């Protein structure tokens, strides 16, 4: 139940990656038949991903990770600007937040504060100013599952006439929420959160929008992401994506059921639920005041039940997300359960029993 950290690579996707490593291991930049075969793998995966994102093939750029995609999108979009306002949220993933902190030397960064755990269109309306040069707001929060009203915000930005690209960290929303990314100007994705291999991500960049590359080199991906492609990972992602699309409704139904049962069961055990009621079904954040999240995590880990206390990347620091949603006092007690189609409903009572046992056996703190 830690699928927001990463997911199991589908067997078929792994097999496809192996095939690309052993049979068709050419360099897609090579000007011979073997290279063309590898290039075909990229083309095929690009097509599948573009369709799933609701954008065109030529608007997709493969990257080594979501982090690389995010860094290039944000830095590249403002590289030619000398100042102005960047609008974001107060609970972005470090892949966005750390870049913003760095840019704060030159730009004014306005971080929208969540209201009852969620970003509101109203706060965005108030933050918009004529000197806004970039908007970057995450689609689904990785710690609470809160969904940002991107559609309404993007519409508002367009109507305002302000010439600022809208980027979104879509890592936790892609293939889980219904959304056409062509509504936006840029979006960032990671394969390993949706049953693809690690080591590959993507940037959607609207046709006609030019950004400055942050990596210089061989000029792959139309000069935006130089470096030899990770063809096996890309090919595997294509297969995983097709499978996710085929199973989308069935997976969502199952994950919703799991989430509801977990929400109810945890509440009955005395948990405070930190996720908004209308959050993504894939993430559920709860806290047992008095019981350190870390202690419950370790107890469950001893039973081979894996959850998280916050995001895997910042597990050792106090959660900025909990602070942003006004629940700093609960930060030490927070637990994140995150689901995928690989979970089974039958796992729910087992996990709830283990949590109940943990509450009985673990010492409380003030
Ligand atoms: N953004 C969000 C919301 C995430 O959850 C993650 C990963 O945890 C990232 C960005 C960064 O992804 P990666 O580490 O694969 O680059």
């Amino acid at each position: 139940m830690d699928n927001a950290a990463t997911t199991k690579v589908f067997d078929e996707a792994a097999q496809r990656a192996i095939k690309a490593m052993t049979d068709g291991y050419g360099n897609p930049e090579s000007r011979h038949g073997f290279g063309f075969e590898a290039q075909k793998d990229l083309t095929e995966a690009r097509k599948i991903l573009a369709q799933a994102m609701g954008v065109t093939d030529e608007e997709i750029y493969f990257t080594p990770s979501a982090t690389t995609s995010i860094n290039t999108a944000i830095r590249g979009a403002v590289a030619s600007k000398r100042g102005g306002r960047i609008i974001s949220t107060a609970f972005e993933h470090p892949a966005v937040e750390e870049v913003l902190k760095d840019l704060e030397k030159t730009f004014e960064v306005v971080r929208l504060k969540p209201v009852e755990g969620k970003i509101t269109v109203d706060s965005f309306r108030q933050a918009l100013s004529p000197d806004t040069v970039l908007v970057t707001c995450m689609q689904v929060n990785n710690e609470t599952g809160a969904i940002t009203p991107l559609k309404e915000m993007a519409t508002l930005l367009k109507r305002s006439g302000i010439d600022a690209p809208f980027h979104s960290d879509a890592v936790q929303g892609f293939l889980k929420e219904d959304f056409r990314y062509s509504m936006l100007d840029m979006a960032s994705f990671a394969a390993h959160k949706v049953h693809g291999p690690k080591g590959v991500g993507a940037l959607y960049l609207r046709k006609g929008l030019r950004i400055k590359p942050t990596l210089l080199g061989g000029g792959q991906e139309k000069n935006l992401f130089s470096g030899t492609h990770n063809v096996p990972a890309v090919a595997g992602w294509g297969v995983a994506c097709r499978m996710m699309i085929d199973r989308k409704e069935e997976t969502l139904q199952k994950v919703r059921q799991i989430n509801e049962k977990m929400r109810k069961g945890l509440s009955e055990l005395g948990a405070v639920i930190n996720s908004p009621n209308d959050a993504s079904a894939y993430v559920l954040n709860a806290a047992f005041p008095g019981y350190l999240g870390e202690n419950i995590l370790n107890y469950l880990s001893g039973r081979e039940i894996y959850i998280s206390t916050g995001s895997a990347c910042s597990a050792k620091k106090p959660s900025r997300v909990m602070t942003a949603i006004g629940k700093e006092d609960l930060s030490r007690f927070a637990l994140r359960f995150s689901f995928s189609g690989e979970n089974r409903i039958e796992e729910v009572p087992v996990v709830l029993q283990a949590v109940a046992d943990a509450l009985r056996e673990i010492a409380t703190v003030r």
Side-chain angles (χ1 to χ4, degrees):
M1 291 194 177
D2 195 17
N3 290 276
T6 200
T7 53
K8 179 182 186 291
V9 178
F10 285 146
D11 287 346
E12 293 84 342
Q15 290 308 322
R16 185 66 189 81
I18 289 172
K19 187 165 174 283
M21 276 187 262
T22 50
D23 287 352
Y25 59 85
N27 187 327
E29 295 297 309
S30 295
R31 301 287 105 211
H32 49 59
F34 202 39
F36 294 155
E37 284 302 310
Q39 188 61 248
K40 254 169 61 185
D41 281 356
L42 298 182
T43 307
E44 205 174 297
R46 214 185 290 275
K47 198 169 258 145
I48 299 168
L49 286 159
Q51 213 165 36
M53 291 171 190
V55 304
T56 63
D57 306 10
E58 58 186 327
E59 292 174 316
I60 293 185
Y61 297 75
F62 288 116
T63 68
S65 61
T67 302
T68 329
S69 167
I70 291 167
N71 269 259
T72 298
I74 298 179
R75 288 186 187 283
V78 299
S80 63
K81 309 278 180 196
R82 293 272 156 97
R85 178 175 286 194
I86 299 176
I87 303 175
S88 188
T89 79
F91 60 13
E92 292 292 316
H93 186 275
V96 171
E97 173 57 26
E98 293 302 314
V99 182
L100 295 179
K101 266 197 221 154
D102 190 43
L103 290 174
E104 231 157 2
K105 292 167 211 153
T106 317
F107 298 90
E108 178 202 10
V109 178
V110 175
R111 295 173 177 81
L112 306 178
K113 290 222 175 357
V115 179
E116 290 173 2
K118 296 179 287 187
I119 301 302
T120 66
V121 182
D122 239 12
S123 66
F124 180 56
R125 185 179 291 114
Q126 279 164 30
L128 261 179
S129 62
D131 69 339
T132 303
V133 290
L134 175 70
V135 178
T136 177
C137 295
M138 73 197 315
Q139 185 182 10
V140 171
N141 184 272
N142 51 301
E143 289 189 36
T144 67
I147 300 171
T148 305
L150 290 182
K151 197 172 162 194
E152 293 79 358
M153 289 162 73
T155 307
L156 183 68
L157 178 62
K158 255 186 212 120
R159 289 205 182 127
S160 74
I162 295 165
D163 184 24
F166 198 132
H167 168 257
S168 180
D169 167 354
V171 168
Q172 300 288 352
F174 180 47
L175 296 172
K176 296 172 185 173
E177 303 306 316
D178 269 332
F179 192 76
R180 293 184 72 80
Y181 294 92
S182 54
M183 288 280 314
L184 308 177
D185 300 297
M186 298 185 285
S188 299
F189 307 87
H192 73 105
K193 308 285 188 180
V194 279
H195 305 286
K198 292 170 183 60
V200 68
L203 171 68
Y204 150 64
L205 177 67
R206 182 176 52 72
K207 194 176 172 206
L209 179 63
R210 290 196 161 273
I211 63 172
K212 198 166 178 235
T214 48
L215 294 165
L216 301 177
Q220 287 88 346
E221 292 297 283
K222 293 182 256 176
N223 281 321
L224 205 48
F225 294 100
S226 283
T228 304
H229 289 94
N230 187 347
V231 182
V234 170
W237 191 12
V239 170
C241 181
R242 183 169 281 156
M243 290 173 68
M244 289 267 309
I245 293 166
D246 289 347
R247 301 174 182 181
K248 197 171 173 194
E249 270 317 301
E250 173 198 339
T251 304
L252 184 60
Q253 293 303 331
K254 181 157 100 173
V255 166
R256 273 199 187 130
Q257 265 187 26
I258 292 174
N259 186 311
E260 276 164 26
K261 281 187 193 297
M262 283 296 295
R263 207 177 250 257
K264 186 164 175 284
L266 292 169
S267 302
E268 282 167 5
L269 290 172
V272 176
I273 302 295
N274 300 316
S275 293
N277 286 334
D278 57 356
S280 158
Y282 289 81
V283 182
L284 179 62
N285 195 306
F288 290 96
Y291 298 87
L292 287 179
E294 202 178 315
N295 289 347
I296 297 184
L297 179 151
N298 288 333
Y299 185 93
L300 296 185
S301 178
R303 293 201 185 179
E304 296 182 334
I305 295 170
Y306 306 120
I307 63 159
S308 165
T309 53
S311 81
C313 341
S314 57
K316 293 210 163 59
K317 291 181 238 154
S319 161
R320 267 185 320 103
V321 177
M322 293 295 284
T323 306
I325 64 172
K327 295 198 174 196
E328 195 172 0
D329 53 329
L330 287 178
S331 185
R332 293 183 300 156
F333 312 122
L335 301 171
R336 178 186 70 180
F337 299 85
S338 50
F339 317 113
S340 80
E342 296 292 295
N343 286 116
R344 286 176 293 119
I345 310 265
E346 302 81 62
E347 290 167 352
V348 172
V350 179
V351 174
L352 290 172
Q353 184 58 52
V355 172
D357 294 344
L359 297 175
R360 223 176 5 257
E361 292 182 32
I362 289 169
T364 53
V365 295
R366 280 166 167 272

